[in-house]
Amino acid sequence: MAKEKAIRELEDLPGIGGTTAEKLRAAGLDTLEKIAVASPHELSEMVGISVEAAKKAVQAAKESTTLEFKTGSEILERRLSMGKITTGSKELNALIGGGVEVNAITEVYGKFASGKTQLAMQLTVNVQLPRKEGGLEGTALYIDTEGTFRPERIEDMAKAKGLDSKEVLNNIANIRATNTETQILSVERADKLIQERNVKLIVVDSMTSLFRSEFIGRGALGERQQKLNQHVHKLQMLADKYDVAIFITNQVMDNPGILFGDPTTPIGGNVLAHAATTRLYMRKSKESKRIVRLVDSPNMPDGECVIKITTEGITD
Ligand code: GTP
Ligand code: MG
């Protein structure tokens, strides 16, 4: 039997020429996996080939796609070699298992002036550090919805790390979003930027404030949560696809339902609670001190630590 050509693209499927492949792509069936699970009848109608031909194409697509599984130890090995960004504080790093992780969403919530933006800016500097110093030798994308990104602060933080502040600033792509459409689009269209600029950290500061101001009242809550959900899923997708760390900030409100203890609750409800891999709660303490509480983590015990915000940035 003649050796068949390996099937890698739609065009390699039997009976699928260039024009048909283009039609399939236009209809959203742009990968072999999608063809493999399509119904031959649907396919035949969609692109105008016979059902017989469609059956053959689907069968070939099925045979060409394999499901890959990884063992637990392979995942562990990958996780150990996976990048983490130092926060600048050894205690905070220890609290969250070494630093802010790639392939994951880390959320920090807290009241105004608790230090969320300071930490976010610090990470855009630290991600640029050499790996042995706790960086990922990458660049950052900063989506600023509040207009509080301060290049002067970045300069301070960069100098404190012995980095060239001009270069550090050039390695931070900044998008000022003043409405949720821009905020959503800057994530939807980030693929190219991530690849071209070796982005290893995406900050959204703040994730929720525009959503909160645009979708007002009970009637808008459903739509708000739905949009927020899609937005956060796209971020997770980018994190997985490009090994990027996602760092989002979030405001708080007082939950009247909590009678004992701290009633401070993050905005965004279940949508954000489920999306964030690691949740941190920051609050002010004396002077430059801030208390960071680990609220939710897949593999670290809950706990607290104290960090400091100084002119040099985040420290112990
Ligand atoms: P909102 O965005 O308003 O919710 O607050 P936030 O949590 O983002 O607060 P942010 O990170 O902006 O923290 C502001 C605080 O950081 C200030 O009140 C200062 O205490 C501290 N801070 C900011 N810049 C400096 C600085 O240059 N030196 C020092 N020592 N502290 C600073
Ligand atoms: Mg802020």
Side-chain angles (χ1 to χ4, degrees):
M1 204 173 91
K3 206 165 178 221
E4 280 171 40
K5 188 171 168 259
I7 293 172
R8 291 209 180 82
E9 289 176 78
L10 302 192
E11 281 86 348
D12 300 334
L13 292 167
I16 305 291
T19 327
T20 313
E22 273 323 302
K23 280 189 199 162
L24 287 169
R25 288 196 181 98
L29 294 172
D30 52 1
T31 63
L32 291 170
E33 283 81 4
K34 287 182 190 166
I35 306 282
V37 296
S39 107
H41 287 274
E42 224 180 354
L43 207 70
S44 131
E45 245 172 58
M46 219 181 252
V47 293
I49 53 174
S50 72
V51 176
E52 272 316 302
K55 273 186 188 162
K56 278 190 190 137
V58 170
Q59 189 53 35
K62 277 199 176 117
E63 284 163 14
S64 76
T65 50
T66 47
L67 274 186
E68 256 183 68
F69 69 87
K70 289 193 177 72
T71 63
S73 50
E74 279 169 334
I75 295 172
L76 180 66
E77 196 181 319
R78 176 149 187 256
R79 283 187 57 77
L80 290 176
S81 68
M82 208 165 67
K84 283 177 185 157
I85 308 166
T86 175
T87 59
S89 152
K90 286 199 186 84
E91 286 215 18
L92 180 51
N93 287 348
L95 185 72
I96 59 178
V100 173
E101 245 179 34
V102 301
N103 299 120
I105 298 178
T106 302
E107 176 198 346
V108 58
Y109 65 86
K111 293 197 173 109
F112 66 92
S114 56
K116 305 181 291 294
T117 299
Q118 295 298 312
L119 181 53
M121 289 196 290
Q122 182 73 63
L123 290 169
T124 67
V125 175
N126 292 0
V127 70
Q128 303 184 34
L129 288 167
R131 283 179 192 265
K132 61 181 190 313
E133 288 170 42
L136 295 175
E137 292 159 27
T139 76
L141 165 61
Y142 197 103
I143 302 167
D144 182 8
T145 75
E146 310 205 298
T148 50
F149 178 81
R150 293 283 174 274
E152 304 87 312
R153 276 299 275 152
I154 301 289
E155 282 182 330
D156 288 345
M157 292 169 174
K159 277 180 199 143
K161 297 262 178 234
L163 298 171
D164 175 3
S165 55
K166 214 166 157 199
E167 203 178 302
V168 168
L169 279 170
N170 282 338
N171 284 335
I172 305 170
N174 197 291
I175 297 174
R176 172 81 173 99
T178 51
N179 50 53
T180 52
E181 284 80 19
T182 314
Q183 183 181 333
I184 291 167
L185 272 183
S186 42
V187 169
E188 299 284 334
R189 302 214 177 131
D191 290 76
K192 203 165 149 239
L193 191 87
I194 294 172
Q195 289 168 288
E196 282 173 2
R197 292 177 58 97
N198 185 33
V199 171
K200 284 286 154 206
L201 167 73
I202 300 176
V203 170
V204 187
D205 181 24
S206 118
M207 184 72 182
T208 45
S209 62
L210 293 173
F211 283 90
R212 209 179 172 194
S213 59
E214 281 178 33
F215 297 89
I216 305 161
R218 284 217 151 262
L221 196 61
E223 199 190 345
R224 182 187 94 176
Q225 291 305 89
Q226 195 193 347
K227 286 236 164 84
L228 198 56
N229 195 28
Q230 284 171 355
H231 185 40
V232 83
H233 269 103
K234 176 70 193 194
L235 282 166
Q236 182 65 58
M237 202 212 81
L238 293 177
D240 291 336
K241 192 167 172 193
Y242 301 110
D243 292 335
V244 167
I246 310 286
F247 188 80
I248 63 177
T249 72
N250 191 6
Q251 270 77 29
V252 293
M253 57 179 186
D254 278 349
N255 184 345
I258 297 175
L259 300 179
F260 303 100
D262 190 345
T264 312
T265 310
I267 310 288
N270 282 335
V271 166
L272 280 196
H274 291 151
T277 320
T278 300
R279 297 195 108 181
L280 297 169
Y281 171 32
M282 258 176 116
R283 59 188 202 276
K284 262 190 104 152
S285 178
K286 282 195 187 102
E287 288 142 22
S288 61
K289 286 187 187 148
R290 298 292 187 279
I291 299 160
V292 188
R293 179 167 188 76
L294 180 66
V295 182
D296 203 358
S297 159
N299 54 340
M300 298 298 292
D302 289 2
E304 277 190 356
C305 77
V306 179
I307 61 167
K308 254 186 179 170
I309 305 177
T310 69
T311 312
E312 285 76 37
I314 307 284
T315 59
D316 275 306

